[in-house]
Amino acid sequence: QSDQLTSVYEATAVPAHSCDRSRPDQPSADLAIVRCASCDLAFNAAFDAALVGYAPTYDGSQAASPTFTDYQQNLARTLAIRFVLDDTSTLIEVGAGRGEFLAALAEHTPCSRIAIDPAFPSQSGPVQTRSVQTGPDAPGLTVHRFGLLDAPPTPPADAIVCRQTLEHIAEPLPFLRAMHDRLKPGGWLMVEVPAAERIWREGAFWDLYHEHATYFTASSLHAALTRAGFAVGLIAPEYDSQHLVALARRPDRDQVPSLWPGTPAATPADVRQRLRSSLEHWQRRVAMFTERGPWAIWGAGSKAVAFCHATCAQPGAQPSAQPAGRPETIVDLNPALHGTTLAHTPSQPAQRIQSPSVLSHLRPHTVLAMNPIYREEITRAVRALSPGAMIECLGD
């Protein structure tokens, strides 16, 4: 409710949604990222919820990556211990995706699990994580295919997990209060969001896209949780500082309103210039890649959508046009994406997604990885497929 807003970044005619695999030709949307000086939250003032829907065709999974799977397993084990989850406990995951985290959790605790997510798969079969499956018929799992505010009542939960979901919500406080109401007094909440501090520090324009309505720093996440009634115990960077993880509790009568003092606002004053400089740098690099010959992008998620829109596609180009700077191919480990196309607006050219095996005959001079945390596993794969290729990473 503050009017202390500063413009951070703008972009027009971006894809409304990056990971809806049922329709890669997305409606056009706009970005008008502004930052509130009062609470340090940044948000998209042009966000249009009517353009963003979540169904089982939504696929933001990173489970094909061993690096991500190990992180998810370690997080599940840590939470099972910290939250003291046993066979009498109930855990809810809000924004459960394809159920991969709940499957990992089942390896470490026999607690009852409830998934709340309109995009939870129903017909695509179970998701397998090591020795435990999750899916519509997995033991100990109840699935509600609704948004949180519309989901039916659930037993009071000992813990709620909400990973990579809060940033999709245009009004965070009602969403957080709804999770507060589903917890037992003294129950735990774990929230994981992209760390805006890293986005601003790196000028990571490739992490700004329409389906992310809000961008949290530790300061703004603390403000949101406390205003929603939680006692915040910890907010810390994880996953090579790409994520923020917050642990908070629904206070019982003996708990103070907040346990964590919070941090001062962390958004640098020159963030707008950092984003602009980073964009111009990568536009020059992409032009140079194209002059040298075939090159490839590794990673077909939201980062690739935002990066290609900003550096490769020409606004207003016809779908058949060949825009300057277009990569020869985009590859991804997720087999569900092979043969599909990257999300784009109807006025933009489609970009095919292929298996990394295509690199063995494409022989690109450069493979640009969308996430540096996967550098080691990507480097091993590229060395085996196309030994002469250089590997570069966004954010390096």
Side-chain angles (χ1 to χ4, degrees):
Q1 297 176 339
S2 169
D3 60 0
Q4 302 178 56
L5 302 180
T6 304
S7 176
V8 171
Y9 185 80
E10 300 91 20
T12 59
V14 304
H17 210 303
S18 301
C19 297
D20 184 352
R21 305 304 176 187
S22 68
R23 54 164 308 174
D25 56 330
Q26 286 287 308
S28 292
D30 294 329
L31 297 182
I33 311 296
V34 295
R35 180 246 175 180
C36 173
S38 177
C39 70
D40 206 31
L41 181 74
F43 62 95
N44 182 10
F47 178 75
D48 186 349
L51 298 179
V52 179
Y54 295 94
T57 52
Y58 173 81
D59 183 4
S61 174
Q62 301 175 64
S65 162
T67 301
F68 182 82
T69 299
D70 287 346
Y71 167 71
Q72 189 160 249
Q73 281 285 339
N74 290 335
L75 183 61
R77 179 173 57 251
T78 299
L79 294 186
I81 295 170
R82 180 181 286 270
F83 294 165
V84 196
L85 299 174
D86 56 27
D87 58 0
T88 68
S89 306
T90 297
L91 177 137
I92 299 172
E93 184 173 13
V94 175
R98 309 189 77 77
E100 295 150 351
F101 180 76
L102 290 174
L105 188 73
E107 298 189 34
H108 304 289
T109 172
C111 73
S112 298
R113 292 158 292 135
I114 299 172
I116 297 178
D117 194 325
F120 198 95
S122 55
Q123 303 299 325
S124 58
V127 173
Q128 190 77 23
T129 302
R130 296 186 183 177
S131 61
V132 180
Q133 75 173 34
T134 186
D137 302 318
L141 177 66
T142 302
V143 177
H144 296 303
R145 292 182 182 83
F146 295 88
L148 174 64
L149 301 185
D150 300 318
T154 51
D158 298 276
I160 293 178
V161 171
C162 181
R163 301 181 60 224
Q164 303 297 317
T165 297
L166 188 62
E167 66 274 13
H168 294 254
I169 306 302
E171 296 289 346
L173 285 180
F175 197 82
L176 287 168
R177 287 171 181 147
M179 290 191 284
H180 179 280
D181 293 344
R182 290 178 185 262
L183 278 171
K184 295 177 180 177
W188 284 98
L189 171 70
M190 190 280 277
V191 172
E192 180 187 72
V193 294
E197 290 95 333
R198 180 199 59 82
I199 298 175
W200 309 148
R201 182 175 63 250
E202 295 180 4
F205 63 89
W206 53 86
D207 280 316
L208 304 175
Y209 26 89
H210 178 257
E211 64 264 34
H212 281 192
T214 48
Y215 298 83
F216 289 92
T217 61
S219 176
S220 54
L221 185 55
H222 176 260
L225 287 166
T226 54
R227 292 183 195 186
F230 286 98
V232 182
L234 172 72
I235 301 179
E238 288 286 351
Y239 210 54
D240 198 26
S241 297
Q242 294 188 25
H243 302 166
L244 288 176
V245 171
L247 298 180
R249 301 184 81 170
R250 174 176 176 169
D252 59 26
R253 287 174 295 183
D254 299 325
Q255 287 178 310
V256 295
S258 187
L259 309 174
W260 187 72
T263 63
T267 301
D270 63 343
V271 63
R272 183 179 178 86
Q273 182 57 41
R274 292 187 189 194
L275 288 163
R276 179 54 54 185
S277 296
S278 177
L279 174 59
E280 292 172 353
H281 165 78
W282 280 106
Q283 286 172 333
R284 291 192 296 269
R285 293 291 292 164
V286 163
M288 185 191 74
F289 292 160
T290 305
E291 289 176 1
R292 292 177 58 193
W295 64 284
I297 282 176
W298 188 298
S302 299
K303 294 177 189 290
V305 175
F307 182 85
C308 287
H309 179 272
T311 63
C312 303
Q314 296 173 344
Q318 294 301 312
S320 59
Q322 292 291 325
R326 186 180 181 186
E328 188 72 18
T329 189
I330 297 175
V331 302
D332 198 284
L333 283 174
N334 186 350
L337 305 185
H338 300 165
T340 67
T341 56
L342 200 69
H344 59 279
T345 64
S347 65
Q348 296 169 332
Q351 180 71 59
R352 191 178 179 199
I353 302 169
Q354 297 178 279
S355 164
S357 62
V358 74
L359 301 180
S360 62
H361 61 81
L362 178 62
R363 300 291 180 177
H365 62 77
T366 299
V367 175
L368 179 61
M370 293 289 98
N371 194 329
I373 202 167
Y374 304 131
R375 172 187 278 278
E376 191 172 316
E377 66 180 63
I378 291 172
T379 298
R380 287 196 300 268
V382 172
R383 290 287 174 262
L385 293 165
S386 184
M390 293 180 56
I391 294 104
E392 292 198 27
C393 297
L394 297 181
D396 274 1

